[in-house]
Amino acid sequence: MPRVDEGTSRRRFLQFLAGSPLLAGSSLSAFAGEAPSRLPDPMIWAPQNLEELIKGPKDAINVFDFEPVCQKNVPPAHFAYMASGIDDEVTLRANREGFLKFQLRPRRLVDVSKVDMTTDILGVKYDNPIVLAPIGGQRSFHPDGEVGAAKAAKAGNHLQILSTAASMGVEDVTAGRGAPIWYQLYATNKWEVAEAMVKRAEKAGCLAVAVTVDRNGGRNQETLFRMRKSDTRDCNACHDRSSLQASMRTRAMYQGIDLSGLRNTQASAMTWEFLKRLRDTTRMKILIKGILAWEDAVLAADNGIDAIIVSNHGGRSEDSGRATIDALPEILEAVNGRMPVLVDSGFRRGTDICKALCMGATAVCVGRPYIWGLGAFGQPGVERVLELLRVELHAIMQQVGAPTIKHLMPTMVRRA
Ligand SMILES: Cc1cc2nc3c(=O)[nH]c(=O)nc-3n(C[C@H](O)[C@H](O)[C@H](O)COP(=O)(O)O)c2cc1C
């Protein structure tokens, strides 16, 4: 096997550092003197040629094309919040690099003149297995916000998951989607808050609640802290930071709820008991989002959870250094078909999605890419991002010889 010599490898790493929006303005970028204006390998991160921005959604040839336009349009503090990982951002990079560890193993002479990407997710049919991951505060990226994303999801019949921290309410977003969506729950320290949100989501027609369990600790979002210094606007003009209650009252899903006693939007005391209580509270299907160890996946199945999302929060929970595509095989093996397994974090290409589906994932959620589309062009940007992902997935399914999702087999992907 040809080896990349150390010089080339180091040069590539420096080029990555120089081009990364994650390090813009940081002291590390000073080390990257020999960097070109364009990254050689968008596998690692988006091309950063700010001279050649796309003018409209149709100009995009891949999802990365939206990211620098989003960076240009969106206030630096908001963009940085979205882009940021944790600490050294090892997990953030690992999520992308993880896909390099797996290779596709195509089969030939299969009739793939027609490809059907239809996918059943918890008993509902969608035209494809690409899901919009829950992302909070989408109006901070574009006024179209979550409703714009919903309309884009509708155009391609994608499943959408609405965040607890959404800037628009579940009723409006469901109306925009024109079909039931899922709700993501940050349970908070107060049961009554979680209960009220879950009841509201159920009343709005949500089919499932995804309980996020991977945000227990504080987080050192260094890229956010560095980049937001360049934002000259007064944050307090929009964000009421006088108390947690005041800050949360501006969030659509907290409205009308008694927030006295709210000390944390996360639920660091949560155990499996909470899930039992939730089961007695709602008829919606229950998922756990943020599973990374096969032991927890087995416990989820044992506890009657309907599905899990393998996720490291897009490299925003702990800087473990482990990609979700690395964690997925052991989890699928341990679950052994007892419940659907969804996955997210770092998915940017049809081939990335294809690899997870071949392994046995039911669906793949994408986060930042559709936010790049939203920040760049609003709803039409999200539509194009989703279209590009569908087109790429369609093409790679033909290439590996899979006329339907069910034809994507574990033998079609191997560890490099
Ligand atoms: C700006 C931003 C906000 C997010 N907000 C939430 C949230 O409110 N709830 C949640 O469960 N996950 C949230 N996530 C995590 C995503 O649901 C998803 O796990 C992650 O973005 C997937 O990785 P990707 O961005 O690399 O595709 C957020 C991610 C980002 C980037």
Side-chain angles (χ1 to χ4, degrees):
M1 223 171 61
R3 275 188 72 238
V4 179
D5 68 73
E6 265 182 35
T8 310
S9 158
R10 187 182 134 76
R11 195 162 56 248
R12 284 198 160 191
F13 180 63
L14 291 174
Q15 285 166 352
F16 156 64
L17 286 180
S20 172
L22 305 178
L23 291 167
S26 83
S27 55
L28 275 175
S29 57
F31 290 111
E34 55 187 295
S37 61
R38 215 180 169 85
L39 278 181
D41 184 7
M43 180 72 197
I44 306 299
W45 197 255
Q48 278 297 292
N49 188 346
L50 294 173
E51 308 293 302
E52 284 177 31
L53 299 184
I54 54 168
K55 306 273 183 304
K58 288 286 164 210
D59 295 339
I61 55 171
N62 61 37
V63 301
F64 297 106
D65 283 336
F66 291 91
E67 197 259 357
V69 186
C70 175
Q71 181 168 6
K72 187 173 132 267
N73 292 355
V74 171
H78 295 180
F79 177 84
Y81 174 71
M82 181 270 303
S84 199
I86 300 287
D87 297 345
D88 298 313
E89 298 185 332
V90 179
T91 317
L92 188 73
R93 285 193 298 278
N95 280 336
R96 295 295 303 130
E97 288 159 358
F99 293 108
L100 290 172
K101 295 185 198 161
F102 296 93
Q103 302 170 336
L104 290 169
R105 191 171 164 272
R107 298 299 305 276
R108 307 298 187 207
L109 296 164
V110 179
D111 180 357
V112 285
S113 53
K114 290 197 187 75
V115 167
D116 179 1
M117 299 197 291
T118 307
T119 305
D120 183 302
I121 313 176
L122 288 176
V124 177
K125 276 201 164 35
Y126 298 88
D127 287 355
N128 60 79
I130 304 165
V131 179
L132 282 76
I135 302 262
Q138 293 183 23
R139 288 188 77 185
S140 62
F141 306 108
H142 192 280
D144 286 357
E146 289 85 354
V147 170
K151 290 178 179 169
K154 180 182 182 185
N157 191 17
H158 295 262
L159 170 62
Q160 180 185 18
I161 312 178
L162 184 72
S163 160
T164 286
S167 46
M168 298 164 113
V170 65
E171 302 80 9
D172 292 341
V173 179
T174 302
R177 175 61 185 81
I181 60 172
W182 289 6
Y183 183 65
Q184 173 269 326
L185 181 71
Y186 281 139
T188 81
N189 66 295
K190 186 175 169 184
W191 164 256
E192 291 77 14
V193 174
E195 185 185 31
M197 285 179 182
V198 165
K199 292 222 148 104
R200 179 173 165 187
E202 183 164 347
K203 196 166 166 222
C206 287
L207 301 173
V209 53
V211 183
T212 300
V213 297
D214 61 6
R215 287 289 313 110
N216 281 337
R219 54 180 176 177
N220 185 21
Q221 295 180 289
E222 291 191 17
T223 292
L224 165 63
F225 304 151
R226 287 200 179 97
M227 281 180 79
R228 77 175 170 200
K229 287 188 193 143
S230 65
D231 204 324
T232 51
R233 298 159 327 133
D234 175 16
C235 298
N236 294 326
C238 300
H239 299 272
D240 184 346
R241 292 165 163 174
S242 55
S243 68
L244 181 62
Q245 279 79 2
S247 155
M248 287 305 121
R249 258 184 221 111
T250 61
R251 305 269 174 183
M253 292 306 293
Y254 283 86
Q255 277 161 23
I257 301 179
D258 174 12
L259 298 182
S260 58
L262 184 76
R263 290 186 309 278
N264 198 330
T265 54
Q266 304 296 335
S268 51
M270 187 193 286
T271 64
W272 293 101
E273 284 307 309
F274 176 92
L275 278 306
K276 284 197 188 111
R277 201 170 178 188
L278 190 61
R279 179 60 88 202
D280 295 337
T281 305
T282 180
R283 288 186 312 277
M284 289 187 287
K285 303 264 180 165
I286 299 176
L287 292 93
I288 300 181
K289 176 174 183 280
I291 296 290
L292 289 169
W294 66 262
E295 296 91 328
D296 287 335
V298 170
L299 279 173
D302 291 348
N303 279 275
I305 299 300
D306 295 294
I308 54 170
I309 307 180
V310 174
S311 170
N312 59 32
H313 220 103
R316 295 160 76 82
S317 42
E318 61 275 314
D319 211 17
S320 66
R322 192 165 190 229
T324 52
I325 197 72
D326 259 327
L328 187 62
E330 68 174 44
I331 290 174
L332 285 163
E333 192 187 335
V335 166
N336 197 19
R338 291 170 71 197
M339 64 186 173
V341 175
L342 288 75
V343 61
D344 74 23
S345 299
F347 288 80
R348 307 286 181 262
R349 288 285 189 186
T351 48
D352 304 337
I353 298 168
C354 183
K355 286 173 187 176
L357 297 175
C358 286
M359 289 174 184
T362 299
V364 168
C365 313
V366 290
R368 292 184 186 85
Y370 83 86
I371 298 300
W372 297 338
L374 184 69
F377 302 110
Q379 178 193 330
V382 183
E383 266 182 51
R384 178 71 177 142
V385 164
L386 296 173
E387 182 186 33
L388 282 163
L389 292 173
R390 290 195 305 272
V391 167
E392 288 187 14
L393 179 59
H394 186 281
I396 193 62
M397 283 176 67
Q398 287 183 305
Q399 281 306 126
V400 296
T404 73
I405 300 288
K406 284 202 171 65
H407 287 88
L408 291 168
M409 294 290 163
T411 51
M412 289 172 173
V413 65
R414 64 183 289 278
R415 200 175 264 274

